[in-house]
Structure formats: structure tokens, C-alpha cells
Amino acid sequence: MQTEELLEAWNRHHRINIYVLDNIHESHLLDRWDVDSPHVGMQFAQLHGIRRMWLQVGAADLWEQTKEIDRKKVNYKAYLREQLNESALAMSTFLQQGLEQNKIKGFKAGPINFLAYLISLESHHRSEILSTLKSQGREISEDLEFGMWDWTKR
């Protein structure tokens, strides 16, 4: 039961990332906080890249099933959604294996703490995405602002 609930927490978290992506106008994926910061599309791509980094360390077979982000396509929501879904599924399998074995290769604090780390890290990036959009004067709808906190709907 605990494994199922923890994996559901990961999957809900991922669905919230996709909810945010789906509620951003595609042209806003090129928005930047400033000239030196990554644009919103690249910030979403970083989520995929971090997942792949952990898969490479802990589950090379799953890492090989995911693709490196094509930087020329990060301004397309459909492409980002596809890549994020792919890496989230691989991470779900990796987490399930870690929970069953009670260890995550390359992460000493255990699988539950690893899940907390991943959700915290990705939530930080999600916050950066929304902050970037707000810095560029983009209106964040109330549905998005509050909807991402309704875990019962995601």
C-alpha cells in the first residue's frame, strides 16, 4: 500500500507539471527572466534532464529508454509534454524499484527521501517558471494559480 501511495504522489506531482505546461501559451515558452537566464521551455527541459541524470546513475536501462532533449524543440508544448511524460514514467519505474529494494543507487538517504527530494526540486523549478512568466507581465490565470494545488483533480 505504501509503495502505491508514494508512486501516486509522484504521478500527481508530474500531472501538475503537465497542468502548468498546458496552461501556458506556447509563445511564452521563450520568455526569460533576464538575458542570462534560461527561457521557460528550457526550464521545463531541465526537469527532464535532471530525471535522466538520476536514471543514468541508478538505472541505465531506463535511462536508455529516454531521449535527450532536442534544444531546437523546447518551444513546442507537445514536444515537452511527450518528453516529460516519457521521463516521468521511467522515474516512476525507478522509484518503484527503489521502494521495493529500499535503496536508490547514488542517493544515500533512501527511496522515500529521494521522492521528497525530486518533488521539492521540480517544484522549485515550477516556481521559477511561474516567476519568469510573471516577471514578463504574463497573467497567470486563477485556474492555474490555484488549480495546481488541488491534488484531488490532478
Side-chain angles (χ1 to χ4, degrees):
M1 175 82 153
Q2 183 185 24
T3 297
E4 285 178 28
E5 287 182 81
L6 292 167
L7 292 174
E8 180 55 24
W10 167 254
N11 291 325
R12 282 181 193 264
H13 161 74
H14 169 65
R15 289 191 301 266
I16 291 168
N17 286 340
I18 297 301
Y19 177 73
V20 171
L21 176 64
D22 286 345
N23 281 278
I24 294 173
H25 193 279
E26 194 161 64
S27 66
H28 300 172
L29 292 173
L30 296 174
D31 285 358
R32 298 172 183 267
W33 185 275
D34 61 36
V35 295
D36 295 324
S37 63
H39 57 73
V40 169
M42 279 306 298
Q43 291 176 23
F44 276 108
Q46 286 175 338
L47 301 177
H48 180 75
I50 291 164
R51 293 171 183 178
R52 288 191 83 241
M53 178 197 72
W54 280 107
L55 292 169
Q56 186 176 21
V57 168
D61 58 322
L62 295 170
W63 175 75
E64 290 174 357
Q65 294 173 22
T66 63
K67 298 177 212 82
E68 188 171 340
I69 285 282
D70 181 344
R71 291 175 179 259
K72 295 176 185 171
K73 296 181 180 179
V74 297
N75 55 330
Y76 299 105
K77 287 173 33 169
Y79 175 75
L80 287 169
R81 187 181 311 105
E82 176 186 322
Q83 298 308 304
L84 289 167
N85 284 335
E86 178 183 277
S87 61
L89 181 60
M91 287 302 291
S92 184
T93 302
F94 181 46
L95 285 164
Q96 182 173 6
Q97 292 169 352
L99 289 163
E100 289 169 356
Q101 298 166 6
N102 199 32
K103 69 177 185 175
I104 296 287
K105 186 176 178 183
F107 192 85
K108 294 181 181 180
I112 294 173
N113 286 315
F114 181 68
L115 173 61
Y117 160 82
L118 285 175
I119 290 175
S120 295
L121 179 66
E122 291 196 3
S123 296
H124 165 74
H125 283 282
R126 190 168 60 228
S127 177
E128 284 187 332
I129 288 166
L130 293 173
S131 293
T132 297
L133 292 169
K134 287 178 181 181
S135 79
Q136 298 307 303
R138 307 301 184 194
E139 188 173 322
I140 306 299
S141 72
E142 226 177 79
D143 284 344
L144 176 55
E145 195 82 58
F146 294 104
M148 68 180 164
W149 294 105
D150 189 351
W151 279 46
T152 60
K153 289 185 180 179
R154 307 292 156 236

